[in-house]
């Protein structure tokens, strides 16, 4: 009996442990997938906007401006407005005005526009679908109480159909959490799903999926890249849209569920600094990556206002006010001003912020002479992680601005995937970096062969870029390393190692040192020193140091003079000791690579060509060696300045007034005196 009892107890014990283990597995499994299983979505409308609080705190000036837009700006022909792609803006506008004031004319205008939208033909463009879905979601949610049963069912059906369209494009059930189309689609589908959450219970499973995507995939991906500094991988043109979308997602989620994602995503606050340091004194952005426009937009002002409100960020408030003074607000901005602006946040002048800023995770360094008035500004970039979409092959590149663009990112974003885009604009030859020419190298992407510009490689294995946080850690996508070696009151020295950005068949080493001398005797501006060590696998592989300019530079001996309107920059060539300078560009040769000029696929205008640039300096050794060292001194100044600091070559480097810069024993040494 004793043996039998022991075996029975043992069996029961094992069963008990198995049950507990299974329960634990279920707990962790469902907890890891999503918190949406215990999700509490607001049962009443509106869910996307907190109208009750807004009525108490609304800013009368913003409301009156919004009403003026609503009364006077709408064209009589709704179909024409939809053809222009403005339906989202005005349907949101009229729906919000109606929810706030209850005025029937706003409701009627919204209804007419929604009816026209539903009857209008669709395109296959997912952005078009997103715009329509967002308009329908806000209309349904804000005007819910006034819609009859038939109207509700009709709009609900359209919302569900548009969500299905996005899902058919494989934008919702996806393993890709880096690209904008997937990101925007998930947020827009969530808006629609929350709007009809109880009226159409089938979307509740969709909300679980989207919540998991956005909270467990997209946000950790962006958090990783923001790091401690706030960097973003889509550079300045596209980053502002990603950041604004995250702000809208967090705001909608907070109102619909009560969960405050702003508190758990402090990285969003830090992205403000990435946008801020991307601005030069003329309030234009660096041209890094795919770039439609250098100028600030309503997108920036809206993002700054919401960051200021949610994170009590006085610097963001300061910039929102500063940018608003120079621009008349658009309808979309007035809409978000009313929702997001918090005037109780005290503005802090940005003059208190550091003049040198590191964004370590994305390998970007920004250098400023000052915050007030016109100051010399420079950018150094060596992204440690390879990105393809909207990113360029520009590791270890730099740009310089003083009054105007002096050392530029050249080319123009004429069209995604154009011949100009593939063969010149996104390639190393269009940037201020180094080329290593292997005549046998082939640049092939997605089965297509492109120009041999001598530049950095494309990656296609295991895929063409990281899609999630795990991918960000993969060695296959590691193409660069950066380090801030010194940052004191007198100078800042950073380094970038871009060796892995090139094919290992031609490059053994490309390390660049970027030195920012803040104080130089007998001189009023910073001076920049760029030192490169480049080792090729074969001595005959020609190494070329690139400097792109908007206008034709002048060359005399080892001095290159760059001019642009009110700005000027001298470039002193110190090494190699025996060098050749080739001046490339001019009409018909502006975008030349591999013997062919890759012309823009749109009509040239003066504005486009000013941004694209037309000239470049190609510096190389007279006789190629396996290792080449480039040492150049850049001195930005006023256009009509006649004096310059004294620059002299030494046996091991260069002397600039009271500074001696040299390289020995694998170290760049900076000595004052």
């Amino acid at each position: 009996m004793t043996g039998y009892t022991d075996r029975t107890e043992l069996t029961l014990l094992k069963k008990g442990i198995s049950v507990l283990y299974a329960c634990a597995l279920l707990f962790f499994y469902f907890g890891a997938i999503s918190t949406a299983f215990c999700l509490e979505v607001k049962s009443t409308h509106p869910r996307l906007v907190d109208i009750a609080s807004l009525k108490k705190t609304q800013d009368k000036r913003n409301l009156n401006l919004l009403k003026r837009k609503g009364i006077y700006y709408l064209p009589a022909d709704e179909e024409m407005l939809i053809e222009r792609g403005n339906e989202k803006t005005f349907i949101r506008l009229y729906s919000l005005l109606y929810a706030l004031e209850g005025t029937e004319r706003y409701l009627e205008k919204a209804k007419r526009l929604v009816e026209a939208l539903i009857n209008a033909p669709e395109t296959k463009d997912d952005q078009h679908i997103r715009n329509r879905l967002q308009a329908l979601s806000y209309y349904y949610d804000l005007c819910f109480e006034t819609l009859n049963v038939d109207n509700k069912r009709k709009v609900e059906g359209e919302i569900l159909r548009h969500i299905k369209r996005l899902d058919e494009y494989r934008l919702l059930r996806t393993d890709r959490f880096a690209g904008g189309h997937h990101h925007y689609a998930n947020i827009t589908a969530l808006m629609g799903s929350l709007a009809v959450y109880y009226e159409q219970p089938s979307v509740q499973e969709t909300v679980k999926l989207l919540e998991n995507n956005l909270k467990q995939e997209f946000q950790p991906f962006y958090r990783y890249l923001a790091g401690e500094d706030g960097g973003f991988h889509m550079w300045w043109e596209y980053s502002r849209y990603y950041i604004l979308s995250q702000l809208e997602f967090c705001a909608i989620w907070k109102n619909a569920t009560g969960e405050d994602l702003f508190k758990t995503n402090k990285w969003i606050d830090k992205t403000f600094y990435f946008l801020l340091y991307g601005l030069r004194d003329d309030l234009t952005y660096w041209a890094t990556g795919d770039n439609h426009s250098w100028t600030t937009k309503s997108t920036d002002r809206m993002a700054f206002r919401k960051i200021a409100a949610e994170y009590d960020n006085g610097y963001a408030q300061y910039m929102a006010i500063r940018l608003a003074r120079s621009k008349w607000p658009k309808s979309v901005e007035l809409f978000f001003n009313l929702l997001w602006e918090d005037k109780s946040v005290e503005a802090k002048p940005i003059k208190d912020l550091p003049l040198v800023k590191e964004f370590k995770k994305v390998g970007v360094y920004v250098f400023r002479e000052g915050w007030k008035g016109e100051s010399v500004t420079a950018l150094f970039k060596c992204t440690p992680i390879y990105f393809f979409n909207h990113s360029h092959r520009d590791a270890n590149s730099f740009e310089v601005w003083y009054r105007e663009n002096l050392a530029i990112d050249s080319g123009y974003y004429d069209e995604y995937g154009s011949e100009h885009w593939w063969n010149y604009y996104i390639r190393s030859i269009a940037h201020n970096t180094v080329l290593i020419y292997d005549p046998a190298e082939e640049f092939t992407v997605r089965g297509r062969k492109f120009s041999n510009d001598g530049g950095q490689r494309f990656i296609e294995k295991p895929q063409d870029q990281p899609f999630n946080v795990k991918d960000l850690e993969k060695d296959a996508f590691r193409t660069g390393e950066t380090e801030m070696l010194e940052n004191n009151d007198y100078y800042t020295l950073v380094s970038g190692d871009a060796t892995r950005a090139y094919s290992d068949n031609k490059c053994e080493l490309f390390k660049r040192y970027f030195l920012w001398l803040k104080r130089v005797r007998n001189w009023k501006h910073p001076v920049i020193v760029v030192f490169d060590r480049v080792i090729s696998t074969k001595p005959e592989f020609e190494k070329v140091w690139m400097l792109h300019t908007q206008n034709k530079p002048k060359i005399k001996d080892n001095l290159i003079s760059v001019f642009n309107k009110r700005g000027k920059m001298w470039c002193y060539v110190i090494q190699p000791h025996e060098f050749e300078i080739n001046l490339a560009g001019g009409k018909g040769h502006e975008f030349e690579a591999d013997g062919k000029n890759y012309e823009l696929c749109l009509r040239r205008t003066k504005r486009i060509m000013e941004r694209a640039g037309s000239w470049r300096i190609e510096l190389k050794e007279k006789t190629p060696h396996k290792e080449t060292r480039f040492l150049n001194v850049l001195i930005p100044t006023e256009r009509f300045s006649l004096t310059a600091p004294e620059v002299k070559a030494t046996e091991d480097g260069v002397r600039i007034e009271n500074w001696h810069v040299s390289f020995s024993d694998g170290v760049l040494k900076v000595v004052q005196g």
Side-chain angles (χ1 to χ4, degrees), residues 321-555:
I321 295 169
R322 181 180 173 187
L323 294 179
R325 288 172 182 163
S326 61
K327 299 285 184 180
W328 181 254
K330 295 181 179 180
S331 302
V332 64
E333 184 176 359
L334 291 170
F335 176 86
F336 281 104
N337 282 358
L338 203 61
L339 296 182
W340 290 356
E341 188 170 29
D342 182 354
K343 292 187 176 181
S344 69
V345 178
E346 184 179 353
K348 294 181 181 179
I350 57 175
K351 63 181 178 66
D352 301 329
L353 291 172
L355 297 178
V356 175
K357 182 66 174 176
E358 176 185 38
F359 299 98
K360 178 70 173 178
K361 287 287 188 177
V362 292
V364 167
Y365 298 81
V366 179
F367 309 82
R368 296 188 60 91
E369 181 181 6
W371 288 107
K372 189 176 181 181
E374 295 174 324
S375 61
V376 177
T377 310
L379 169 78
F380 175 69
K381 178 178 180 290
C382 184
T383 309
I385 301 170
Y386 178 94
F387 286 100
F388 174 75
N389 200 35
H390 300 310
S391 293
H392 294 183
R393 311 284 63 84
D394 57 358
N396 271 357
S397 65
F398 65 86
E399 298 175 57
V400 180
W401 185 95
Y402 179 57
R403 296 187 169 188
E404 298 290 344
N405 292 297
L406 297 174
I408 70 169
D409 249 19
S410 71
Y412 189 80
Y413 192 19
D414 57 346
E415 182 181 291
Y416 188 90
S418 72
E419 287 298 303
H420 173 80
W421 185 88
W422 274 114
N423 292 284
Y424 184 82
Y425 180 57
I426 68 170
R427 307 293 295 282
S428 305
I429 197 169
H431 303 83
N432 301 314
T433 184
V434 168
L435 306 179
I436 304 172
Y437 280 104
D438 172 5
E441 186 173 14
E442 292 187 354
F443 291 85
T444 305
V445 188
R446 298 171 184 173
R448 293 180 59 192
K449 186 177 177 180
F450 299 104
S451 64
N452 179 359
D453 70 326
Q456 296 161 19
R457 65 192 175 107
F458 291 106
I459 293 177
E460 291 195 283
K461 293 180 180 180
Q463 67 247 6
D464 61 5
Q465 72 169 45
F467 293 148
N468 52 49
V469 174
K470 288 183 179 178
D471 286 346
L472 292 173
E473 297 282 4
K474 288 180 179 177
D475 186 65
F477 297 116
R478 289 282 160 177
T479 55
E481 296 294 336
T482 61
E483 185 178 0
M484 183 176 282
L485 301 170
E486 185 64 56
N487 184 26
N488 56 47
D489 291 341
Y490 302 98
Y491 69 88
T492 300
L493 176 63
V494 301
S495 68
D497 188 338
T499 306
R500 295 187 63 178
Y502 296 79
S503 166
D504 56 11
N505 290 325
K506 69 177 182 181
C507 182
E508 292 182 4
L509 177 71
F510 173 26
K511 190 163 186 179
R512 169 164 282 181
Y513 294 87
F514 193 89
L515 173 63
W516 176 262
L517 293 174
K518 302 173 185 179
R519 301 179 185 180
V520 176
R521 186 178 60 202
N522 300 324
W523 190 243
K524 56 185 177 180
H525 297 302
V527 171
I528 301 164
V529 180
V530 182
F531 174 74
D532 302 316
R533 282 190 72 205
V534 189
I535 303 175
S536 57
T537 56
K538 296 180 180 180
E540 60 266 29
F541 289 168
E542 191 174 67
K543 295 168 280 293
V544 183
W545 190 90
M546 308 291 290
L547 176 64
H548 289 268
T549 64
Q550 184 172 310
N551 301 313
K552 185 177 182 179
K554 294 182 179 179
I555 304 168

Side-chain angles (χ1 to χ4, degrees), residues 159-188:
I159 288 173
L160 294 177
R161 190 172 66 82
H162 281 73
I163 293 172
K164 184 179 179 183
R165 288 287 307 279
L166 292 176
D167 197 26
E168 288 170 349
Y169 281 1
R170 301 177 67 183
L171 295 171
L172 308 183
R173 300 175 199 278
T174 180
D175 61 352
R176 300 190 175 201
F177 304 104
H181 290 261
H182 294 82
H183 179 228
Y184 304 141
N186 273 257
I187 293 173
T188 310

Side-chain angles (χ1 to χ4, degrees), residues 134-256:
Q134 193 172 137
L136 291 165
S137 303
Y138 273 106
Y139 168 72
Y140 179 88
D141 191 45
L142 290 168
C143 304
F144 179 84
E145 299 301 334
T146 66
L147 302 180
N148 62 39
V149 174
D150 289 341
N151 283 337
K152 286 176 182 175
R153 298 295 89 81
K154 186 175 183 179
V155 178
E156 288 166 13
E158 286 296 307
I159 288 173
L160 294 177
R161 190 172 66 82
H162 281 73
I163 293 172
K164 184 179 179 183
R165 288 287 307 279
L166 292 176
D167 197 26
E168 288 170 349
Y169 281 1
R170 301 177 67 183
L171 295 171
L172 308 183
R173 300 175 199 278
T174 180
D175 61 352
R176 300 190 175 201
F177 304 104
H181 290 261
H182 294 82
H183 179 228
Y184 304 141
N186 273 257
I187 293 173
T188 310
L190 183 69
M191 290 180 191
S193 300
L194 289 173
V196 300
Y197 189 80
Y198 291 108
E199 294 76 19
Q200 294 289 331
S202 63
V203 303
Q204 293 179 14
E205 288 300 316
T206 304
V207 170
K208 292 176 186 178
L209 168 71
L210 300 174
E211 180 194 9
N212 186 72
N213 285 352
L214 289 161
K215 291 167 59 177
Q216 307 301 326
E217 298 290 352
F218 282 107
Q219 287 188 336
F221 189 90
Y222 301 149
R223 186 184 297 115
Y224 180 99
L225 293 167
E228 295 298 318
D229 313 301
F232 215 85
H233 68 299
M234 283 292 188
W235 319 117
W236 287 279
E237 171 66 13
Y238 282 91
S239 289
R240 46 187 167 181
Y241 296 110
Y242 281 62
I243 294 164
L244 184 68
S245 294
Q246 274 293 310
L247 290 165
E248 189 173 11
F249 159 56
C250 292
I252 287 169
W253 189 256
K254 184 178 180 180
N255 188 64

Side-chain angles (χ1 to χ4, degrees), residues 18-74:
S18 298
V19 170
L20 288 172
Y21 182 68
C23 289
L25 278 179
L26 286 171
F27 175 80
F28 286 113
Y29 175 74
F30 284 108
I33 288 181
S34 176
T35 58
F37 288 99
C38 56
L39 184 67
E40 292 186 13
V41 174
K42 187 177 177 182
S43 60
T44 58
H45 289 275
R47 298 182 187 124
L48 306 182
V49 177
D50 187 356
I51 288 294
S53 298
L54 195 58
K55 285 181 176 179
K56 296 176 184 178
T57 61
Q58 63 184 277
D59 182 84
K60 289 184 178 180
R61 179 180 177 275
N62 284 332
L63 180 61
N64 289 333
L65 285 172
L66 195 63
K67 288 163 68 175
R68 284 175 60 189
K69 286 278 187 181
I71 294 169
Y72 300 115
Y73 197 72
L74 178 66

